[in-house]
């Protein structure tokens, strides 16, 4: 059976626990282990370079614990907490964790959590947006209805955890359950560019670029992420006249 592999990180400061977590991940045919990290700091560096769909992370770690790490992420991936302390369970679900594994846990427990990750991932990445057609139209499922949107009316897209907020010209934004990656693949690359983990912009709607920000209108200043700056600068260079 073919799976769309879910890219994951394993994060635990205890070498034996991390080794076990790695082994369990490798047993799941739909998970792809990108890296195993012994600190949240190491994990953050990887997440700035790689697209990570889910993390399995210990809570009690030195320097930066797993709970605080997830809270500081602007757009966190799917999260499964692993810990020996049951008192963290309620707090874990408050940050919308997919699951919570209490140590010591076995393969069967891990498999149940992994299946929850798979189900949530598939829900996020369901084809809730049609392909762009010749007449510049997309259809989105939102609020139990299908909404027709002109691609040219999209000003920018904002990532909000598992949801996207699509800001439109002269209309109220719509919120859809969809990943940035999936929508980015569907939008025409000649007109749209991702400039930050949390933002895709309509290049035709740029009013001004000021240092590390893209100004879309009088009230909208969007940051340019480090990982996206080079590609964005290449686009700007291609449009400059009279260098």
């Amino acid at each position: 059976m073919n799976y769309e592999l879910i890219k994951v990180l394993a994060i635990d400061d205890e070498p034996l626990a991390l080794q076990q977590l790695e082994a369990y991940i490798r047993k799941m045919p739909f998970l792809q282990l990108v890296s195993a990290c012994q600190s949240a700091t190491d994990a953050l560096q990887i997440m700035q370079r790689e697209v990570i769909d889910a993390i399995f992370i210990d809570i009690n770690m030195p320097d930066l614990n797993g709970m605080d790490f997830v809270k500081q992420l602007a757009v966190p991936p799917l999260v499964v907490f692993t810990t020996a302390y049951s008192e963290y369970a309620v707090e874990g679900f408050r940050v919308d964790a997919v699951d919570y594994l209490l140590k010591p846990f076995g393969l069967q427990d891990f498999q149940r959590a992994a299946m929850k990750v798979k189900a949530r991932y598939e829900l996020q990445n369901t084809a809730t947006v049609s392909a762009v057609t010749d007449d510049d139209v997309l259809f989105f499922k939102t609020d139990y209805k299908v909404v027709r949107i002109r691609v040219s009316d999209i000003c920018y897209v904002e990532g909000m955890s598992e949801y996207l907020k699509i800001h439109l010209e002269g209309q109220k934004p719509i919120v859809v359950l969809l990943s940035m990656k999936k929508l980015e693949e569907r939008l025409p690359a000649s007109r749209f560019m991702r400039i930050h983990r949390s933002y895709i912009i309509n290049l035709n709607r740029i009013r001004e670029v000021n240092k590390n920000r893209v100004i879309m209108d009088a009230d909208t200043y969007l940051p340019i992420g480090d990982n996206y700056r080079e590609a964005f600068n290449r686009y700007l260079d291609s449009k400059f006249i009279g260098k």
Side-chain angles (χ1 to χ4, degrees):
M1 182 178 294
N2 293 323
Y3 295 98
E4 181 176 353
L5 294 178
I6 302 169
K7 296 181 179 179
V8 304
L9 289 182
I11 309 165
D12 199 308
D13 65 307
E14 298 176 8
L16 290 178
L18 186 60
Q19 186 177 356
Q20 182 190 55
L21 198 52
E22 287 184 74
Y24 286 167
I25 290 171
R26 294 186 193 281
K27 289 180 182 293
M28 302 296 112
F30 50 86
L31 298 182
Q32 177 184 344
L33 181 65
V34 175
S35 185
C37 309
Q38 288 190 260
S39 74
T41 303
D42 291 343
L44 184 59
Q45 291 176 356
I46 293 170
M47 291 172 70
Q48 289 172 342
R49 302 191 306 265
E50 304 273 353
V51 174
I52 301 298
D53 301 310
I55 58 176
F56 292 81
I57 182 169
D58 186 26
I59 293 179
N60 277 9
M61 294 189 294
D63 298 328
L64 180 62
N65 73 46
M67 190 70 67
D68 291 338
F69 171 69
V70 171
K71 287 178 179 178
Q72 78 172 17
L73 296 174
V75 185
L78 302 176
V79 178
V80 174
F81 286 116
T82 66
T83 183
Y85 302 92
S86 59
E87 62 267 24
Y88 286 112
V90 173
E91 189 176 359
F93 287 110
R94 283 177 180 164
V95 297
D96 198 29
V98 175
D99 207 353
Y100 176 97
L101 287 168
L102 186 63
K103 296 179 179 179
F105 53 87
L107 178 59
Q108 190 173 10
D109 294 323
F110 179 85
Q111 187 174 29
R112 278 196 294 267
M115 291 302 295
K116 290 181 182 179
V117 169
K118 183 175 183 289
R120 184 84 70 91
Y121 177 82
E122 289 174 348
L123 180 62
Q124 282 185 205
N125 291 275
T126 300
T128 57
V129 53
S130 72
V132 179
T133 57
D134 292 338
D135 58 351
D136 196 45
V137 168
L138 289 172
F139 289 90
F140 293 91
K141 289 181 181 177
T142 178
D143 295 331
Y144 306 102
K145 59 187 177 184
V146 176
V147 179
R148 179 182 182 274
I149 297 295
R150 284 175 54 87
V151 172
S152 55
D153 287 339
I154 299 175
C155 298
Y156 67 98
V157 179
E158 180 182 3
M160 305 188 306
S161 187
E162 298 172 18
Y163 295 85
L164 298 182
K165 189 173 186 179
I166 302 173
H167 297 262
L168 302 164
E169 175 69 22
Q171 305 172 52
K172 290 183 179 180
I174 65 169
V175 176
V176 297
L177 181 63
L178 191 69
S179 71
M180 291 286 277
K181 178 181 176 183
K182 184 66 71 173
L183 182 56
E184 187 177 12
E185 291 171 353
R186 297 298 186 98
L187 291 171
S190 60
R191 285 184 281 165
F192 290 85
M193 180 176 287
R194 192 165 181 178
I195 61 165
H196 188 275
R197 287 188 66 207
S198 302
Y199 295 105
I200 297 171
I201 63 169
N202 184 334
L203 296 168
N204 294 331
R205 299 280 180 172
I206 296 174
R207 177 178 294 186
E208 184 180 332
V209 179
N210 187 340
K211 295 182 179 179
N212 293 323
R213 299 183 302 178
V214 176
I215 300 172
M216 305 299 288
D217 57 45
D219 301 313
T220 307
Y221 295 70
L222 305 180
I224 303 170
D226 291 340
N227 293 339
Y228 305 92
R229 185 173 290 109
E230 184 178 349
F232 184 66
N233 285 340
R234 282 200 303 269
Y235 166 76
L236 291 181
D237 288 343
S238 72
K239 299 298 181 182
F240 269 124
I241 298 177
K243 295 182 181 178

